[in-house]
Amino acid sequence: MDLSRTLTGFGAVLLAAALVSNPASAAPADPPPGAPSTRDFGNGPERNEIAATAPEASAESARSAPLGAPPDSRWTPKRQGYPRHTDLRVYPENPADKSIKLGLLPYHAIAPRLNALQAASDRVSAEVVGHSALGRDLYLVTVTAPESAAEAARQDRWRALIEDDPGAARRDRALRRGYKTPVWINANIHGDEWEGTDGAMRVIERLAAATDSATRRMLSRTRVYVTVTNNPDGRIAGTRANGAGFDINRDHATSSQPESRAVRDVVIATQPFVMLDEHGYTGTTLIEPATPPHGQNYEYDLYIRHALPNAEGMEAAIQRLGHPETARADIPFRDYEPGDWDDWPPVFTPMYAIYQGAVGHTVEIPLQVNHEAYETLPVEELRRRSSVNTDVAAATIEAALTYADANRAALLAGQIEQFRRGWAGAPSPRIPDGFVAGFGPEDRYSTVFPRAYVIPAGGAQRSPAAAARLVDHLVAHDVRVSRARRGFALGGRAYRAGSYIVDMHQPKRGLANVLLEAGRDISALVPQMYDISGWSHRLLWGASVDISATALPRVATTGVKVASPTGAVSAARGRDLALTMRDGADVRAVNALLDLGVELRRADADTVLVPAGARREAEVVADRYGVRFTAAARGSTGTPFTAPVIAAAVSADELFALREMGFEVRTVSTDLLNAGAELSDVDTLVVSSGLSYAQLNAAGKAEVDELLARGGVVTRGRTGAAFNAAAGLLPATAVTGRGDANGVVAVRNTGAVVGAGSPPHSFVYSPIWFTGTGFTVEQRYDAVPLIAGHWLPTAPGAGGPGQAADQAAVISGATARGGRAVVFGTEPLFRAHPKGLYAEFARALYWSAS
């Protein structure tokens, strides 16, 4: 990138936002033409200021999510030719659809339009590839020249050959001549960024009806795949998030939401050369490639050699529109400073697609029509802006199709080479300065891939349920995993038969490594980060995973399609049973037993006792959730407990995670309590977002005070720490780090409740630590806290990891009010990602409720 260019305002604005507690961003109502792009801060007010009120449909989605359960069903394309006509379900007209005000296509009108296109054109096929959090259909449209079943099958064989045997694919002349260039367009992943859908539909309709020879030739050698709206719930409601309150464009490494799982399946099945993710609104059109830090597991040379010229071609296309607002585009790689618009984490759709072999781009259309603008601007102005935005979306899609068609041979060769390097274990080449215009030392990120990862079976495995969940997750993402047929030794350790091996000589090694490696502390490399900088599944998902740097186990293996069952009841009949709560699956099993009316007892914070007479129920939940019951120690008594009644003022992701573990949760907030919500039957109050003790009226405060005198409180984050201080619960002083500081941290487990059996790692976003006395320290940050991520001081000598070192990260104790409290400075439920930390939060709930 050109470091001589000064970014006017964006980096400074983001950096300022990072130093405070993430205020909501409001874009200007009338941005002048040519103004610099703007961006909402990655972790917005929904984390601390807005209490979630997810509808029951999304609550059921959480309770049925695949936490420790068999892997969710995956979409695969039909094995037939094109066109593949589907009579799409037509939804009732919904006058409340927020897109109508903008003159755009409401969700209920999409299926009729697609049904008509399928009837009118043999180039258009539409199908349902999944359902939203609230159950709405997710559409995939394919536009291509007709293919017989035999021709389509040959395309499938070629696509598989590119991944499975890239050397053979490179030598196959028929493949090079006849393989259709796959291009994938993803639209409307953020529900209140509407026009990508309308621009994509415009392109689909043009391609369906065009009679010119150039279009006919292009479609004879191209398949255009379009996920028309990735977020119908948000499109209708006018929200960024889906119906469960999740930002889908942060979920691609986690796959907690059905919308992200659907596009995961689409990108694997279609294996695109080029993909666009249509977003808005940045004031000036923005087209990736992005700034550093670049993902260190990319084959970045193969990516940037196409991403930059493709972006410049899209810029030229919007300039040709002639609108004053489209005189130029911002291309972050070319125009921005390091850290201003990065492609580091695999949570964004285009970044995830890179690991699947695509040249991925985020496209941000320019003119704001959401948030305050939607409510305050005249309808005529909103529709004018949406018209310009639709033009931009359509123009960028058309330009990307033109680029992909003109460069089909080079793009094919690049995808083949990416997969070849993976199979060969070849090092990623060092990219020289000037490889593309503006490439310099600040763009050079790479890693050394290990030879293998091993996920042990048997006694060496901390949590068999967590190990199975991780294996199923990897397989679902097209990472190749095998199972050892017999025991073996590696690196001085013995492994049992059934242990899993991730051989890193595989086509998508970058994806395997970005999920399993620890990551990297990038704090010194860039001044700020937009979103998460650490996410390691190996460290945060609860399974034991070993690294072999140079050696592959010498053992016969079998490829894995689904992890082996892990549930068991190993005690002799007639014995009481014990279940250790080390994982969210264990918690879910406990809650399932309580729902079945089983009388459970707690021997200590992490051990639950099950009476011998409930063995059948234990066998059922062991099979369902993959957990293991052992024999309880003879003479164990324990303390009886029941399912806690929980009221929660939390963020949407935390609400989802609590329900994912099987807790019944009643949502509350400052407003609801002030309006008369009751807590008389509540055992524990959870506070992290949208509840301020100081802002409660007399009735609301009285309701909370009555609970505090008899029940429990569990808090998280700045809002939780403020509640603890205002309500006078634990005598701790909270010290806060930077608002954008985040990553995987090392912790020492020192307490009997949260600390009992917890992993030595945690996750932070806007980290907090506690000073003072009169409480129990459950977890401390390690002497060197940050393992991977970005965490700079708020000021010299303040707010950084050096100041957090050895300080209390999680505290507990009896409160001055008479109840119990646990206060988290970490993020154990963040975006439903750190599955291995769920149990420590659940133990806090059970303990505080008792």
Side-chain angles (χ1 to χ4, degrees), residues 298-614:
Y298 297 146
E299 302 298 333
Y300 195 71
D301 61 317
L302 303 177
Y303 169 74
I304 194 61
R305 70 171 40 152
H306 291 292
L308 183 57
N310 191 22
E312 291 174 335
M314 287 186 267
E315 178 183 41
I318 69 164
Q319 289 171 328
R320 289 192 293 271
L321 294 172
H323 300 299
E325 301 94 338
T326 62
R328 67 172 180 85
D330 283 344
I331 299 175
F333 177 89
R334 182 190 70 188
D335 301 331
Y336 286 7
E337 298 289 340
D340 280 342
W341 195 287
D342 67 274
D343 57 19
W344 177 252
V347 300
F348 310 126
T349 317
M351 281 65 260
Y352 176 77
I354 294 172
Y355 292 111
Q356 297 286 356
V359 176
H361 302 260
T362 297
V363 175
E364 299 273 356
I365 55 182
L367 302 179
Q368 186 180 18
V369 295
N370 60 3
H371 303 164
E372 182 183 357
Y374 187 93
E375 302 298 335
T376 60
L377 290 180
V379 171
E380 294 78 8
E381 173 60 12
L382 287 172
R383 292 189 173 190
R384 184 194 72 81
R385 292 184 178 200
S386 281
S387 177
V388 173
N389 289 337
T390 302
D391 288 349
V392 171
T396 55
I397 294 168
E398 294 276 14
L401 293 176
T402 298
Y403 183 89
D405 187 47
N407 294 276
R408 58 187 302 272
L411 287 163
L412 170 63
Q415 191 176 82
I416 288 172
E417 173 63 9
Q418 177 172 335
F419 295 152
R420 184 205 69 79
R421 290 179 191 175
W423 280 115
S428 298
R430 185 182 186 279
I431 306 175
D433 291 354
F435 179 76
V436 296
F439 186 94
E442 72 281 358
D443 294 300
R444 196 169 289 115
Y445 286 77
S446 62
T447 193
V448 176
F449 295 100
R451 186 61 184 86
Y453 290 96
V454 179
I455 303 171
Q461 180 50 251
R462 178 183 180 275
S463 171
R469 178 178 58 236
L470 177 60
V471 167
D472 286 335
H473 185 75
L474 293 171
V475 171
H477 285 263
D478 205 25
V479 172
R480 299 176 188 222
V481 183
S482 61
R483 184 186 295 111
R485 297 181 188 174
R486 56 178 175 79
F488 61 93
L490 181 68
R493 291 193 59 181
Y495 293 90
R496 287 180 50 174
S499 294
Y500 298 101
I501 298 166
V502 182
D503 181 351
M504 289 298 288
H505 286 192
Q506 63 171 288
K508 296 177 182 177
R509 64 170 180 185
L511 180 59
N513 209 48
V514 79
L515 298 179
L516 291 174
E517 69 174 352
R520 180 177 177 183
D521 180 355
I522 57 172
S523 306
L525 301 178
V526 291
Q528 75 278 323
M529 288 289 288
Y530 169 56
D531 205 80
I532 65 166
S533 308
W535 54 83
S536 173
H537 295 60
R538 178 168 61 85
L539 300 182
L540 296 178
W541 271 43
S544 305
V545 184
D546 297 333
I547 305 171
S548 177
T550 59
L552 181 70
R554 293 174 176 262
V555 64
T557 63
T558 301
V560 174
K561 294 182 186 278
V562 62
S564 299
T566 57
V569 178
S570 60
R573 292 189 177 276
R575 289 288 300 274
D576 286 352
L577 308 175
L579 176 64
T580 302
M581 289 190 294
R582 295 288 176 84
D583 186 76
D586 302 316
V587 177
R588 194 161 175 176
V590 168
N591 284 328
L593 290 173
L594 291 170
D595 289 344
L596 291 170
V598 177
E599 296 180 356
L600 302 181
R601 294 162 288 146
R602 283 176 45 243
D604 51 40
D606 71 341
T607 304
V608 172
L609 304 178
V610 182

